Amino acid sequence: MATMEKSKMIGDGKSPSQILKDIALSQEGILFIILVLTIMILSRSNENFLTTRNLFNQGRLMAEVGLMALPMTFIIITGGIDLSVGSILGLSAILVGYTWSNLGMPLEVAIVMALLGGSLAGFINGLIIVRINVPPLIMTLATLAFYRGLAQGISEARSVTGYPEWFFGLGQGTFLGFPSQLWLLIIAIIISITVLQRTTLGRTLYAIGNNAVGARFSGLPVDRTLLIIYTFSGFMAGLSGVIFVSRFTTTRSDMGNGLELDAIAAVVLGGTSIFGGKGSIIGTIIGVVMVQLLRNGLAINGVTNDATIVVIGSVLIVAILVNNQIQRLRQSE
Amino acid sequence: MRKFLMTFIVMLMMAALTVTVTAQDERWDGADDLDVAPLQCGMGDEMDESDEGMDGDDEGMDEDMGMEYDGGSAMGAPDMMGEDIVLVDVPKLIGIGYFDATYLGMQQAAEELGNVTVIQGGTTEANIDDQVADIANYIAGGEIDGILFAANDPVAISPVLEDALSQGLHVIGYDANSTPGAREWFVNQAEFNGIAKGMIDSLVAEKGEDASFGIVTSTFTTPNQARWIAEMWAYASDCYPELEWLETLEAQEDAVLSFNQANSLINKYGEDLDGIFGMTSVATPSSADAVTQAGLCGEVAVVGLATPNAMKPYVDDGCVQSVVLWNPIDLGYAAVYVARAVVDGEFAPGDTTVEAGRLGTLTVVNGSEVLLGPPFIFNAENINDFDF
């Protein structure tokens, strides 16, 4: 809860330079500095890295993971996890294709169906986690397989193509000079930050993560809150699925395979504690951007794919170690 | 309007069903009912155009010659005629024998040409998301002049390839195609009628023109297998009417099931069975295994589509004489030659042939595809030269 600490410190009447130092040394601050350093190094070794064209392209590629990482931050703050988002993405993508092609509905209806389907999938996760008290890890591991199987069953392993041209605007077009899906991501970020920092719901998330039993006895609507965020997670995965179909111009049941791990990695890299109670949206966004730019920057500089995975893994470990060390030092100050 | 459409679709489906029912009288089990274009009879290697297809219209090679170029073009590509170029190879995945072999062929071509460098791209999993991101990175990197790809999904890969073309990069496909407009040329490893001819010719060479045989396939509706069987049926009807078709059995792509189905053929037909066709890379080695275990090597010939590594034991001990596939080394080799010819302006839309080094002159089919040639038959002499 870095921002809460910050506002407390500001209230303590510290000097502006002290406030600046606090921001720089916060979890997100350190991460941001590492990100800037990475970008500087990568852009020095290849002039094609820091071009609007490439950056916009990367924006497109990271939008889907970004959208899923936002609710994932909420869920991890409560001490839960959602492993099924990659599968929900695949299921929603198939729903777009199935509703439009097999049921012959207009594409607009198909998109709504996909969003509803995604939300429903998330709602089922939440319902069973809350009502039957299944640990989120187990429940979403089960639905990771279940939703993917459903996607394969509905689609009968066939892909749907031939969507009308206007639909591709979402995944490939631009709006006001920016890639369309980046606008969606920006709007989602603003909403998520507001919810987390400025609403009771956001505060409840932290309370649940810190002490779920305590939160319940304090009269907080724990069950309802969990139900909302798992449904939200499913909805965002559904939205990502629609963008995915638009970007690839086809639906396949294996879409989004493994993306849940990318989303979780970004959230954890962004300083959200896997034990719950601590984390921020800004950190998650820096995490998403960092992983995406590292992948792209290394590839552009001619690093092979296998080596890239190793480098990214190492950077993740170093970033987390450095950050932990600094936060520990600050606490003992 | 919608109601009308639905009625129309239902009628169409019923029509299709009727056609299927009637077609079953003409075609063998497991064959589809698309048009066929059997090749000319004979054991020669030449891929002559057939005089006339069974149904006479489209899809056949004879008609393809007239089909217009439907590939894309690299917009504003710099003139690199004769200059050094860098190509990136993006196969479906890296680290498997098959694509190691295509890459080897590319390196051989690059070495011969002297002014081409091929770098290895691609991801360790055959995943379309990763493949698209990989290609996007190479485009952004700005250090390549062209892309050689084998698509994990024909449609999903197309936007990023179109982007590459719009950046002036040359795009050539091999092994697995994209939509035609998203690349310039596609090197097609084998056409259905070519494979079909290779299969039937191999069996006839082993067991004579009046052999009787069974088929082990995946399912009756699997597209490639159904196409191959239809072409085999058409070619055999034209060229070897004496062949006796016993039965087609379904075995998915399952090794145990394939083994059992091959065994049922052996037990059911006994002495009457001269050969088994394996239509999948799983069915062929399993059938060979069944024949070996029944002690019928030499009595029952096994001919089929399979990769060399799976078939080496059976070919080495003489139980299987011919395995039909294409040569992936030649496939990669041809892709580089096509790319070089495109860059040099020697191969442009409308051309009907292209020179490809040691492979000689390759023919253009289906508008914008370069046909590698007749399928490659692996046998005891050459199978140990391959590792995939």
Side-chain angles (χ1 to χ4, degrees), chain A:
Chain A
M1 290 173 75
T3 36
M4 256 185 118
E5 283 167 30
K6 250 180 270 157
S7 53
K8 210 163 55 191
M9 284 167 193
I10 294 165
D12 290 348
K14 291 190 177 174
S15 70
S17 66
Q18 184 65 37
I19 295 168
L20 206 66
K21 193 183 158 203
D22 279 333
I23 293 176
L25 284 184
S26 68
Q27 190 102 19
E28 294 85 353
I30 302 279
L31 209 59
F32 187 71
I33 293 167
I34 297 177
L35 175 65
V36 171
L37 282 177
T38 320
I39 292 177
M40 277 167 62
I41 296 168
L42 289 171
S43 59
R44 279 180 70 89
S45 48
N46 189 313
E47 78 232 16
N48 291 314
F49 175 68
L50 213 57
T51 57
T52 17
R53 203 193 129 70
N54 184 45
L55 292 184
F56 276 1
N57 226 329
Q58 296 313 308
R60 278 190 204 291
L61 292 177
M62 74 181 186
E64 294 112 9
V65 174
L67 285 172
M68 293 192 292
L70 298 174
M72 189 70 82
T73 312
F74 289 0
I75 291 175
I76 295 182
I77 285 175
T78 67
I81 198 147
D82 188 349
L83 294 176
S84 68
V85 286
S87 298
I88 296 181
L89 189 157
L91 180 59
S92 308
I94 288 302
L95 282 178
V96 175
Y98 185 79
T99 318
W100 179 71
S101 166
N102 297 40
L103 302 184
M105 306 263 189
L107 193 51
E108 291 87 343
V109 177
I111 293 171
V112 173
M113 279 291 287
L115 296 178
L116 284 179
S119 310
L120 182 66
F123 180 76
I124 293 171
N125 278 341
L127 197 66
I128 296 184
I129 289 168
V130 166
R131 289 270 177 267
I132 312 183
N133 248 332
V134 180
L137 181 78
I138 311 286
M139 180 57 201
T140 57
L141 186 64
T143 48
L144 163 88
F146 177 72
Y147 293 146
R148 181 70 65 193
L150 214 55
Q152 274 155 2
I154 293 175
S155 68
E156 292 172 332
R158 289 203 188 92
S159 49
V160 174
T161 58
Y163 295 99
E165 199 66 33
W166 65 264
F167 179 52
F168 301 145
L170 182 60
Q172 300 170 38
T174 54
F175 183 71
L176 299 179
F178 256 54
S180 328
Q181 61 263 62
L182 223 45
W183 286 110
L184 285 177
L185 182 60
I186 290 168
I187 294 168
I189 290 171
I190 294 171
I191 294 175
S192 300
I193 291 178
T194 316
V195 167
L196 197 56
Q197 305 297 348
R198 300 262 174 265
T199 65
T200 334
L201 181 76
R203 294 294 165 210
T204 312
L205 296 178
Y206 286 109
I208 296 172
N210 278 317
N211 186 344
V213 179
R216 208 177 284 271
F217 280 113
S218 312
L220 290 173
V222 174
D223 288 355
R224 204 180 67 205
T225 309
L226 288 178
L227 214 49
I228 289 173
I229 58 171
Y230 281 98
T231 309
F232 179 48
S233 181
F235 172 80
M236 291 302 246
L239 181 61
S240 300
V242 174
I243 296 173
F244 225 77
V245 174
S246 168
R247 184 156 71 86
F248 282 100
T249 70
T250 177
T251 53
R252 291 167 58 97
S253 56
D254 64 350
M255 279 177 155
N257 219 341
L259 282 193
E260 63 276 354
L261 292 182
D262 288 3
I264 294 169
V267 172
V268 176
L269 177 66
T272 300
S273 165
I274 201 79
F275 302 110
K278 196 163 143 315
S280 73
I281 294 292
I282 299 286
T284 297
I285 293 308
I286 298 175
V288 171
V289 173
M290 184 131 124
V291 172
Q292 186 62 43
L293 288 188
L294 260 182
R295 230 175 238 167
N296 165 248
L298 291 171
I300 281 187
N301 282 300
V303 180
T304 61
N305 271 300
D306 320 5
T308 303
I309 300 168
V310 174
V311 173
I312 289 177
S314 315
V315 169
L316 287 184
I317 295 170
V318 169
I320 290 170
L321 282 182
V322 167
N323 227 335
N324 275 0
Q325 206 58 34
I326 289 177
Q327 302 311 325
R328 194 172 304 159
L329 283 176
R330 285 181 74 211
Q331 270 166 16
S332 60
E333 254 172 24

Side-chain angles (χ1 to χ4, degrees), chain B residues 85-149:
Chain B
I85 55 168
V86 179
L87 304 173
V88 62
D89 170 35
V90 185
K92 286 183 177 178
L93 73 169
I94 54 174
I96 65 162
Y98 181 81
F99 285 113
D100 286 349
T102 53
Y103 185 63
L104 176 68
M106 289 174 191
Q107 293 299 348
Q108 288 173 354
E111 207 169 299
E112 272 178 35
L113 287 163
N115 53 6
V116 178
T117 312
V118 180
I119 56 174
Q120 176 86 78
T123 51
T124 47
E125 278 179 63
N127 179 328
I128 185 64
D129 318 355
D130 293 347
Q131 189 174 37
V132 167
D134 192 50
I135 294 174
N137 283 339
Y138 279 107
I139 298 171
E143 275 157 21
I144 52 162
D145 305 295
I147 298 168
L148 308 171
F149 72 90

